[in-house]
Amino acid sequence: MTTTQPVPGVPLPTAAGSAGQDGDPGRGRIVHAEAFLCDIPVEAVRTDAVQAFLKQETIVVRIRTTDGTEGLGYSYTIGTGGAAVLSLLRTTLLDVLVGQDATRPEATWRALFTSTRATTVGVIAALAFAAADTAVWDAKARLAGRPLWVEAGGASATVPVYDTEGGWLHLSTDELVEHAVASQRRGMHGVKIKVGKPRGHEDLERLRAVRDAVGPCMDLMVDANQSFTAAEAIRRARLFEQVDVFWFEEPLPAEDVAGHERLAQATSIPVAVGESMYSLGHFREYLQRGAAAVVQADVARVGGVTPWLKIAHLAEAFNATVAPHFLMELHASLTCAVPNALYLEHIPQLRAVTTSELEVADGLAHAPTDPGLGIAWDMDALERLRVA
């Protein structure tokens, strides 16, 4: 096999393939795999209670199958760690990918996982799996001639969107109101406001101003980014109930399942978690204990499309909804694939490296219809932003 340095836009070399495991004579066999890293600037200043979004380190995996079909997948960090993910791909996982059958993502994902048992479950491995797995699903859907949302389930062609870009913690109350009203006029069904000011009444005053501006018919979410103790989260939830908050996102550190359980029992506000969780078993524990009502699995952080679908269907079994974190351009297809999708987070980040945008109209995102992931990559732009 080869894992040569990639040159985006230049065709990959072809190779002869053996008979595919699914009976197709090698059509879906992966004959080449490569990985590289790009730094995509953030589109707006983004701050929350614990951090700032510095840049999107984008880890890209590109594969080609025996018949020449390509797949391009990706994952990301918000500023650090991308080189570690790239290293795991280049030293181990690309070798595993070559020879696998892109029409069998379950078998391919399991091969990746098995090759790295000493470093799983963990975020670096999950991000590496995700970049590879999304490339496999891109190729699988292209081979089938279908868009990802159909190939992965095809539940609905649209999904409601809510806006995050106007709710960052550094914004003034007037700016929060201005953004929320603008989102409402654009037809969005909800807005998310970051919380975590030093005192609860500061958060409440900001939320009340937004609620007064948009009225009772727009959903108002809050996100604490894991910044509270259980006691403080319970106290603030009682304040937030006054303005009919739609969900309370990441109130506590993700490891504190018991604290989330206590909060869920103490408030009428649904608890939302998932962006900082990396395994199917972690989601199962939350759902079994009634510690979450909204599942926000991030396809990059859970290891790709293959485990994301498992998590979505697990949530369905518990009569819970999914509203994934970030990666709007990819999650649009996944939320449309499953029957229990609640919302898509509207937070564009790929406009600098794509030639077209996700269609959003009247508060609904429309699933891409082109075969594959449906992301129109600008390969020249990716090359300009490439750092490794």
Side-chain angles (χ1 to χ4, degrees), residues 61-63 65 69-74 102 105 130-148 151 305 330 370-377:
V61 167
R62 191 179 179 198
I63 64 174
T65 67
T69 299
E70 292 190 4
L72 193 147
Y74 72 111
D133 185 69
T134 51
V136 169
W137 274 91
D138 190 33
K140 171 179 166 61
R142 289 175 184 273
L143 285 161
R146 289 189 288 267
L148 176 62
E151 188 71 4
V305 174
L330 181 50
D370 291 338
L373 301 186
I375 298 174
W377 296 103

Side-chain angles (χ1 to χ4, degrees), residues 71-263:
L72 193 147
Y74 72 111
S75 63
Y76 76 101
T77 83
I78 64 169
T80 58
V85 180
L86 183 64
S87 177
L88 180 58
L89 283 160
R90 286 183 168 175
T91 59
T92 303
L93 298 182
L94 296 182
D95 289 327
V96 176
L97 270 180
V98 172
Q100 298 296 322
D101 187 341
T103 68
R104 298 179 58 191
E106 284 281 0
T108 302
W109 195 94
R110 184 56 52 179
L112 296 172
F113 180 85
T114 300
S115 73
T116 57
R117 285 189 181 276
T119 56
T120 56
V121 171
V123 61
I124 299 299
L127 291 171
F129 294 161
D133 185 69
T134 51
V136 169
W137 274 91
D138 190 33
K140 171 179 166 61
R142 289 175 184 273
L143 285 161
R146 289 189 288 267
L148 176 62
W149 77 275
V150 173
E151 188 71 4
S156 175
T158 61
V159 61
V161 296
Y162 74 92
D163 189 49
T164 291
E165 284 287 66
W168 301 107
L169 197 64
H170 68 277
L171 297 175
S172 68
T173 301
D174 287 343
E175 288 172 314
L176 294 178
V177 169
E178 180 183 353
H179 285 296
V181 170
S183 296
Q184 187 177 47
R185 288 173 178 164
R186 288 156 54 201
M188 294 194 181
H189 296 262
V191 291
K192 186 162 72 183
I193 307 297
K194 298 291 184 174
V195 295
K197 290 292 187 181
R199 296 185 178 277
H201 74 84
E202 296 177 77
D203 281 335
L204 179 59
E205 288 168 3
R206 288 157 61 86
L207 293 170
R208 181 170 282 127
V210 173
R211 173 58 76 203
D212 290 343
V214 300
C217 296
M218 190 176 200
D219 292 332
L220 180 58
M221 301 81 161
V222 299
D223 183 0
N225 292 98
Q226 307 184 85
S227 61
F228 295 141
T229 64
E232 183 61 19
I234 291 169
R235 194 178 76 84
R236 295 213 186 193
R238 289 174 179 161
L239 294 175
F240 300 161
E241 285 176 342
Q242 299 176 40
V243 291
D244 190 26
V245 163
F246 190 70
W247 75 51
F248 194 170
E249 180 173 334
E250 283 208 310
L252 316 172
E255 315 87 71
D256 188 2
V257 186
H260 283 89
E261 184 179 8
R262 287 172 53 203
L263 172 62

Side-chain angles (χ1 to χ4, degrees), residues 25 28 31 33 42 47 49 55 73 96 154 212 215 232 258 275 287 300 304 353 360 371:
V31 295
V42 294
T47 62
K55 60 185 176 181
V96 176
D212 290 343
E232 183 61 19
E275 74 174 80
L287 290 164
V353 292
V360 179

